Amino acid sequence: MKRRDFIKMLGLTALSTGIPFPALMAIAAETTRVLPIAPLLRPEDGRLLLTVQEGQTTWFGRKVKTWGYSADILGPTLALRKGELVAMNVQNRLPESTALHWHGLEVPGIADGGPQAMIPAGGSWKPTIRVDQPASTCWYHPHPHQRTGFQVAMGLAGMIIVEDETSDALALPKTHGVDDIPVVIQDKRLDENFQISYAMDVMTATVGWFGDLMITNGAFYPHHEAPQGWVRLRLLNGCNARSLRLACSDNRPMYVIASDGGFLETPIQVHQLDMLMGERFEVLIDLGSGRDVDLLSLPVRQPGMNIPPFDQSVPVLRLQPNSKPGHRSMPKALVKLPAIPSHQHLPIRYIDLSMDHWMMMQGMRELRDRFGGSMGPMMGGGMMGAGMMGGGMMGGGMMGRGRGMMGRGMMGGSGGDIWKSNMINGRAFTMNYASFDVKVGQYEKWIVNGSDMMLHPFHVHGCQFRILQENNRPPLPHRRGLKDTVLVQGGESVILVRFKHQAPPERMYMAHCHLLEHEDTGMMMSFTTSAAKTRR
Ligand code: C2O
Ligand code: CU
Ligand code: CU
């Protein structure tokens, strides 16, 4: 798509959602933004300071109130090394309390930063972290119960890069911000005053908060100049509720080299890359030809996420090769992943994600009323048809194992309380309630079931797991490495988990849907981990 056409398209969209006309000119002025690269923050004398603060960001020539970590929006990229001991100091200068979670880091519950670890306004939190996992791209974000969606929407999120001997040795692009590029993709919605417009209501509790513009590292459709060669993108889907399908505008392949928890065994070629909220993938893209390419966001099958402009492909980042020679080759092999142990006789846990039926129907109706038209494109085909009415709910969900919709959604449910409209195993999140205890070091098989057809990225704190089955299917090749998030959408996913560290009742690990409005309205549970009794 030509840039001019894109602007025109966005203009129309903007008009239809109420952003005033002068914005269009400003949008045009914005289209040559350089991709912002957050500063790398390394521990100094083993210490790291992050200040959670209010700020402002200029979009479309207007000043927008945003929040950031030691920044106006987003935060520095934390550069950590395996084995390192880091004393974190998180200072909360927001007008409200927050919590800070290291998503993907395998740290003890006491340092994990779940909703039990609230930092009051003006307060601080000082966990010590031992970096104890392979090289990977992780991230950090707020986690206060019922406020996570809002605080992330305001701009709070940052990347974490863990390096180790393996990543040192691999012949990959490594010049940070040049050919090794962090890319945080998020959608936003602004009101008529150009301020972030967040609302929690029946509709957002159902489909999530979604925007009508996409920002990349805090900027609108930025471009990045890179040497002529392979570039490595460290992609993060930092959206509240939107799953992404990424592709190159000229359909050139991307090679996935790492998932949430670290490197894959070999690069895996893909032409489209689906990313759930919270997921990270590292990909290599070849700029050796010297030709520009746009990273596109393509339409996805998720209710609410096909509303214009996202019923079309939308460019989110332009990559422009300069005249400098770049990284020439891509390694054939990366790492050896630990073999998946035999899982015949492992302890099994059933985890059922569900939504209040009545609330969900209200939410879908509101989506249709507010954003109009036929539900066709929004539903992405199959949502209502095969899914809700047919096999999905009745089969696995409703009747199967007696853990389905009947007990809660339809009869009991939330009683109209929006904050309890989403559930795990029939219970909306209850602070300080432990669902179960897992022994440290013990492999377990978790069977995660979705009794509705909504998209639920199921995320577990404190571990990097392996996916044995993803929404009724064997996982795609690039989803077979270390993961902390798995897709559940009307089907059953099976993950193999193991925890290295303890999480006591006062600082439990969380497992939740990473559609943040589902999480905030109850689709989250806590659990403890404890030392295994030593047998003689
Ligand atoms: Cu990224 Cu508990 O979350
Ligand atoms: Cu997490
Ligand atoms: Cu969900």
Side-chain angles (χ1 to χ4, degrees):
M1 189 177 358
K2 287 214 191 69
R3 198 167 285 195
R4 205 178 306 119
D5 296 341
F6 171 63
I7 290 162
K8 212 163 74 194
M9 182 193 80
L10 232 183
L12 291 172
T13 307
L15 280 179
S16 70
T17 55
I19 293 180
F21 179 74
L24 303 184
M25 299 297 110
I27 289 169
E30 277 281 321
T31 48
T32 49
R33 274 210 61 151
V34 171
L35 177 73
I37 303 288
L40 270 185
L41 189 60
R42 291 177 203 285
E44 260 177 57
D45 299 325
R47 284 164 205 286
L48 262 182
L49 171 69
L50 287 173
T51 305
V52 201
Q53 61 192 48
E54 299 173 283
Q56 60 179 27
T57 303
T58 303
W59 285 327
F60 312 117
R62 302 283 290 260
K63 293 198 183 348
V64 182
K65 290 194 190 75
T66 51
W67 291 358
Y69 293 109
S70 310
D72 283 305
I73 188 169
L74 300 171
T77 299
L78 311 186
L80 307 179
R81 274 203 75 87
K82 187 180 173 187
E84 186 172 46
L85 192 67
V86 192
M88 304 282 190
N89 180 350
V90 183
Q91 298 281 338
N92 180 12
R93 299 229 185 99
L94 295 179
E96 65 180 61
S97 49
T98 189
L100 191 155
H101 167 59
W102 323 101
H103 179 134
L105 290 193
E106 295 174 291
V107 297
I110 194 79
D112 181 62
Q116 289 175 309
M118 290 300 278
I119 317 170
S124 64
W125 180 54
K126 298 178 176 171
T128 295
I129 281 175
R130 166 81 64 191
V131 184
D132 186 21
Q133 66 196 90
S136 48
T137 302
C138 296
W139 64 303
Y140 58 102
H141 63 74
H143 220 304
H145 182 44
Q146 302 183 335
R147 287 298 269 179
T148 298
F150 171 71
Q151 293 192 358
V152 171
M154 286 303 289
L156 292 175
M159 278 218 179
I160 302 175
I161 295 177
V162 177
E163 302 286 6
D164 64 5
E165 324 73 53
T166 310
S167 62
D168 290 348
L170 283 171
L172 290 168
K174 284 176 195 168
T175 313
H176 184 79
V178 177
D179 61 9
D180 179 358
I181 310 150
V183 180
V184 184
I185 302 173
Q186 299 176 301
D187 58 339
K188 296 279 181 242
R189 174 177 300 275
L190 304 178
D191 62 19
E192 321 75 55
N193 301 316
F194 279 77
Q195 299 305 313
I196 290 169
S197 157
Y198 188 87
M200 175 64 87
D201 52 34
V202 178
M203 185 193 83
T204 41
T206 302
V207 299
W209 182 75
F210 56 89
D212 53 6
L213 57 105
M214 205 74 97
I215 61 159
T216 306
N217 291 359
F220 176 73
Y221 185 29
H223 69 248
H224 178 77
E225 270 189 28
Q228 282 191 35
W230 289 95
V231 293
R232 172 186 188 179
L233 305 184
R234 297 177 186 258
L235 299 166
L236 161 66
N237 178 348
C239 297
N240 281 47
R242 179 183 294 282
S243 63
L244 297 171
R245 170 164 292 175
L246 302 176
C248 289
S249 51
D250 56 5
N251 207 34
R252 76 180 73 176
M254 298 180 272
Y255 294 85
V256 185
I257 56 168
S259 56
D260 302 332
F263 289 114
L264 304 177
E265 298 210 316
T266 57
I268 305 284
Q269 189 197 69
V270 296
H271 286 87
Q272 292 185 354
L273 180 65
D274 288 354
M275 292 190 76
L276 299 169
M277 303 75 97
E279 280 187 328
R280 291 83 63 212
F281 284 107
E282 293 181 29
V283 300
L284 297 180
I285 296 176
D286 189 6
L287 300 183
S289 70
R291 276 185 291 115
D292 287 12
V293 64
D294 274 331
L295 188 66
L296 302 179
S297 150
L298 306 183
V300 291
R301 293 192 155 200
Q302 190 194 341
M305 306 306 151
N306 279 327
I307 293 165
F310 299 112
D311 55 338
Q312 309 280 326
S313 62
V314 168
V316 296
L317 171 65
R318 168 154 297 199
L319 294 170
Q320 294 174 321
N322 57 28
S323 54
K324 299 198 188 88
H327 194 89
R328 279 292 150 191
S329 63
M330 174 173 63
K332 288 211 166 49
L334 298 164
V335 298
K336 190 93 196 84
L337 286 172
I340 295 202
S342 147
H343 42 89
Q344 245 71 317
H345 303 290
L346 295 179
I348 292 178
R349 287 183 206 280
Y350 293 102
I351 296 169
D352 184 69
L353 313 180
S354 68
M355 304 179 69
D356 181 289
H357 189 71
W358 183 84
M359 207 81 100
M360 185 169 70
M361 286 307 169
Q362 287 296 114
M364 294 305 291
R365 197 164 302 138
E366 250 185 70
L367 176 69
R368 186 192 54 206
D369 292 349
R370 277 197 232 168
F371 292 93
S374 81
M375 293 295 274
M378 289 178 219
M379 306 301 285
M383 176 69 204
M384 278 305 217
M388 276 172 151
M389 303 313 178
M393 208 158 77
M394 295 304 272
M398 209 147 152
M399 303 309 196
R401 293 198 199 92
R403 296 170 295 111
M405 295 255 358
M406 283 311 240
R408 316 164 307 270
M410 281 169 164
M411 329 288 274
S414 62
D417 182 352
I418 196 178
W419 299 107
K420 295 197 166 84
S421 57
N422 291 306
M423 290 153 276
I424 296 185
N425 289 347
R427 172 190 284 269
F429 179 72
T430 308
M431 193 72 82
N432 303 324
Y433 173 83
S435 291
F436 47 74
D437 179 71
V438 182
K439 293 301 166 210
V440 166
Q442 168 72 55
Y443 276 111
E444 290 194 355
K445 213 152 98 169
W446 289 13
I447 300 181
V448 193
N449 192 71
S451 22
D452 51 74
M453 287 305 288
M454 289 288 178
L455 175 135
H456 305 295
F458 181 73
H459 166 62
V460 185
H461 287 209
C463 80
Q464 288 292 337
F465 54 69
R466 305 293 289 276
I467 302 178
L468 303 177
Q469 175 185 310
E470 188 159 39
N471 208 42
N472 296 340
R473 299 226 172 96
L476 292 170
H478 63 280
R479 302 179 65 86
R480 292 184 183 173
L482 297 168
K483 291 280 300 146
D484 55 45
T485 305
V486 64
L487 171 69
V488 179
Q489 191 168 20
E492 197 165 76
S493 295
V494 184
I495 58 176
L496 188 67
V497 304
R498 185 172 63 164
F499 298 86
K500 293 179 187 164
H501 302 286
Q502 298 188 27
E506 64 284 4
R507 287 291 183 274
M508 288 186 270
Y509 285 142
M510 300 292 136
H512 60 88
C513 178
H514 221 286
L515 193 160
L516 300 181
E517 287 69 33
H518 288 176
E519 170 188 342
D520 277 342
T521 55
M523 201 177 281
M524 173 158 72
M525 68 174 178
S526 333
F527 60 96
T528 57
T529 56
S530 59
K533 292 202 186 71
T534 42
R535 270 195 237 145
R536 312 187 164 222

